Amino acid sequence: MVERLGAFVRPYQHALETAASGCHVHLYLYLQGLLSHLERKNAEKIATFVDVERQVIQDFIGTVLWDHRPLVAVLVRQVAERLGDPDGIIAFDPSSFPKRGRHSVGVKRQWCGHRGKVDNCQVGVFMGYVSHHDHALLDFRLFLPEEWARDEPRRQACHVPPDIRYQTRHEQCLEMLDAWREQVPHGWVTGDDELGHHTQFRHALRERGERYVLGVPCTTTMRDLEAPWPRGKR
């Protein structure tokens, strides 16, 4: 098992070395903590377990400047090679995580599906892949609310990269789709009703030649396009 894990990590180590010199050492320390028996795998607990200063792990996770995109490229390539299928499905899912604190990036009072109500939370937008072989995560975005995107002091205090701008969740989904759809064999795109009720998102998928199955709210009005219009309505 350890040998298999080492072989699995190696391509990511090479990608990380190109993204930031020295980070691969901290990557192994972090992985040791994540794979350990620790009940709570936060920066402080992991640092104690691997016998380094807490700030070393904290900086690696939160503030060290390194580009995660080469690692995602490795992941996408592996998923396409091992799970790829012409009838595969790209699945988008905005998911919320209850969270508090002014300096937790992206936290605000918004719809929290985890709790079924408006509450303080972060929202992540995830791109997954499903085929008859298996399923896997491909890419992700943290949703940054508009008031966060405009608040420069707050951005700097929380180390939000300067190039991160406000995007709707639909735009984030399309950005990930454009980045990877040519590399991942698939026949369908799916998503929940948050995506399905948005006319422009559906139109953008059609423009890209994508077949899709999206949820829609139960209150959505539908009309048979082949049926005649109601009397007096045009």
Side-chain angles (χ1 to χ4, degrees):
M1 177 66 74
V2 173
E3 291 180 357
R4 288 177 58 197
L5 179 61
F8 174 79
V9 169
R10 199 165 296 120
Y12 294 93
Q13 176 189 349
H14 295 327
L16 190 59
E17 287 173 350
T18 66
S21 177
C23 273
H24 62 283
V25 176
H26 300 149
L27 171 64
Y28 276 110
L29 295 176
Y30 186 50
L31 281 175
Q32 286 181 48
L34 292 180
L35 297 172
S36 72
H37 63 278
L38 293 173
E39 184 175 345
R40 295 190 62 197
K41 295 178 172 64
N42 56 29
E44 184 173 0
K45 297 290 186 181
I46 290 176
T48 301
F49 178 74
V50 299
D51 195 24
V52 296
E53 294 291 330
R54 179 190 63 81
Q55 200 63 40
V56 171
I57 300 298
Q58 188 69 52
D59 288 347
F60 172 70
I61 297 171
T63 61
V64 171
L65 294 177
W66 57 275
D67 189 353
H68 72 285
R69 288 171 295 185
L71 281 77
V72 175
V74 173
L75 172 65
V76 171
R77 185 169 63 249
Q78 289 182 342
V79 171
E81 290 174 354
R82 301 182 187 185
L83 309 182
D85 187 273
D87 290 326
I89 299 169
I90 290 176
F92 289 107
D93 181 33
S95 296
S96 57
F97 307 89
K99 189 81 172 176
R100 297 188 179 276
R102 178 171 172 77
H103 297 300
S104 295
V105 179
V107 169
K108 65 166 286 188
R109 286 189 62 79
Q110 54 193 326
W111 176 256
C112 180
H114 185 85
R115 290 182 170 164
K117 63 179 182 179
V118 174
D119 204 349
N120 285 313
C121 64
Q122 292 170 316
V123 175
V125 182
F126 299 92
M127 178 181 182
Y129 183 72
V130 183
S131 74
H132 72 275
H133 299 293
D134 212 326
H135 60 276
L137 177 69
L138 289 179
D139 203 351
F140 59 92
R141 297 287 186 276
L142 176 65
F143 173 67
L144 192 69
E146 194 167 7
E147 56 265 43
W148 264 91
R150 295 195 309 261
D151 193 337
E152 192 58 37
R154 199 179 188 190
R155 289 175 59 117
Q156 293 181 9
C158 298
H159 305 282
V160 178
D163 59 327
I164 298 298
R165 67 190 190 284
Y166 170 71
Q167 291 178 295
T168 67
R169 297 169 196 174
H170 308 89
E171 289 171 338
Q172 289 178 315
C173 289
L174 292 173
E175 182 179 81
M176 289 187 283
L177 182 64
D178 289 341
W180 306 119
R181 71 192 189 102
E182 297 298 332
Q183 300 182 41
V184 180
H186 65 282
W188 296 90
V189 173
T190 65
D192 64 11
D193 61 0
E194 179 179 345
L195 304 176
H197 87 279
H198 196 272
T199 303
Q200 291 181 339
F201 182 72
R202 300 196 307 270
H203 180 66
L205 292 179
R206 290 195 295 271
E207 283 187 327
R208 289 163 171 78
E210 297 286 354
R211 295 187 296 174
Y212 59 85
V213 176
L214 302 171
V216 293
C218 62
T219 55
T220 301
T221 300
M222 302 181 67
R223 185 177 69 83
D224 184 351
L225 296 178
E226 296 182 359
W229 282 77
R231 186 185 298 272
K233 297 204 176 203
R234 244 333 183 187

